[in-house]
Amino acid sequence: MKPDTSTIDIRAMALLIILCASWGLNQVAIKAAVADIPPVLQAGIRSMGATCLMLVWMTIKKKSLLEKDGTLLCGLICGLLFSAEFVLIYWGLEFTNASRSTIFLNTSPFVVALGAHLFIRAEYLSRIQIIGMVLAFAGILVAFHESLNLPDPGMIKGDVMLMGAAVFWGATTVVIKASPLAKVYPGKVLLYQLGVSAVILPVASIFLGEPPVQTLTPLVISSLIYQTVWVAFFTYVTWFWLIRTYPVSRLAPFTFLTPLFGVLAGSWLLGETVTIYLLCALAMVGAGIYLVNRR
């Protein structure tokens, strides 16, 4: 019997939690290696490595790369959006702080919800689901409330860049779901984005004046392996499979968990403090996700 994919089932929820935890830990992995490899260059190396892995995987699975399926233009657009997202994230962090960036970057689910409503048939949010989205985002505000002080003019520039990154992130999801990409093998969808970003991100690193690789310590190598093999290869393929299978307006709120998992990972691995605000935020995000996805 074909499963009901109009809602998020237990299997999808479990996968989403694993993905968000992995992406939250990825933030710690980037921090661990940033002294030896700057962030945009890290993203470029990750994309190059994951592109090679995906090519090998698709060859083993005998998936055609040159099949005329009408996805080339949409795939290139997604690759450009994917690349621009990471450039704006890391460039924006030069002007604003990480906590503020988390708030602005997590406006992305609202972009997904709006795009799904406008461009994807049969995907819309009811009033109670909109309340759930707002509640989940409010949880992010609670977790990072100390960053809500009035910024200096330079920080506003970084905030705008992070909001632009959120728009690109949300737009990528909508383009995939609303285009022929929704019907092809998820690995090919990922390959478009990895291949384009593998070219653009190293060039962007040079443009931004990042230094070259300094030292390849065991910690740095472990960080790159985690980012490349697990995050950019396994979790992204899984994410695109979820996008193809389930309503994106119901998937997107789960991404609010990512920064909270990042804080928890920072506490576990870097000794950072977990506050009562974080626990309240987890409860609010969980309640918001429930409201969005309840039958």
Side-chain angles (χ1 to χ4, degrees), residues 34-237:
V34 77
D36 294 293
I37 306 178
V40 176
L41 184 55
Q42 278 191 56
I45 294 172
R46 181 185 70 177
S47 289
M48 288 187 285
T51 297
C52 295
L53 289 174
M54 183 53 64
L55 287 171
V56 172
W57 176 253
M58 291 188 69
T59 300
I60 293 173
K61 300 291 288 185
K62 298 182 180 180
K63 299 292 184 179
S64 175
L65 297 175
L66 303 177
E67 181 182 0
K68 294 182 179 180
D69 50 17
T71 62
L72 179 60
L73 178 59
C74 293
L76 293 176
I77 290 172
C78 284
L80 292 172
L81 291 171
F82 184 79
S83 303
E85 172 197 337
F86 282 98
V87 170
L88 286 179
I89 288 173
Y90 293 122
W91 194 5
L93 284 171
E94 293 187 9
F95 301 96
T96 190
N97 60 47
S99 297
R100 288 182 65 85
S101 73
T102 297
I103 293 172
F104 289 105
L105 188 59
N106 277 278
T107 58
S108 174
F110 295 98
V111 177
V112 174
L114 177 61
H117 179 77
L118 294 175
F119 300 109
I120 302 174
R121 183 179 301 177
E123 283 209 31
Y124 60 90
L125 294 178
S126 65
R127 183 177 302 175
I128 193 67
Q129 289 172 316
I130 293 173
I131 292 173
M133 290 273 289
V134 173
L135 179 60
F137 183 68
I140 299 296
L141 296 180
V142 169
F144 300 96
H145 68 284
E146 295 176 352
S147 300
L148 296 176
N149 57 315
L150 292 176
D152 60 56
M155 292 180 71
I156 293 176
K157 182 178 180 180
D159 295 342
V160 171
M161 289 183 181
L162 267 297
M163 289 192 70
V167 171
F168 288 143
W169 182 11
T172 303
T173 302
V174 175
V175 169
I176 292 170
K177 187 69 172 182
S179 72
L181 290 169
K183 299 178 181 180
V184 301
Y185 181 61
K188 187 171 184 178
V189 179
L190 177 57
L191 190 58
Y192 278 125
Q193 296 172 75
L194 291 174
V196 174
S197 62
V199 175
I200 292 179
L201 291 176
V203 175
S205 176
I206 296 172
F207 175 78
L208 295 174
E210 289 187 341
V213 177
Q214 302 299 309
T215 306
L216 289 177
T217 64
L219 177 62
V220 171
I221 294 172
S222 299
S223 171
L224 288 176
I225 292 174
Y226 175 78
Q227 293 181 58
T228 301
V229 178
W230 179 252
V231 174
F233 182 60
F234 285 107
T235 70
Y236 284 0
V237 168

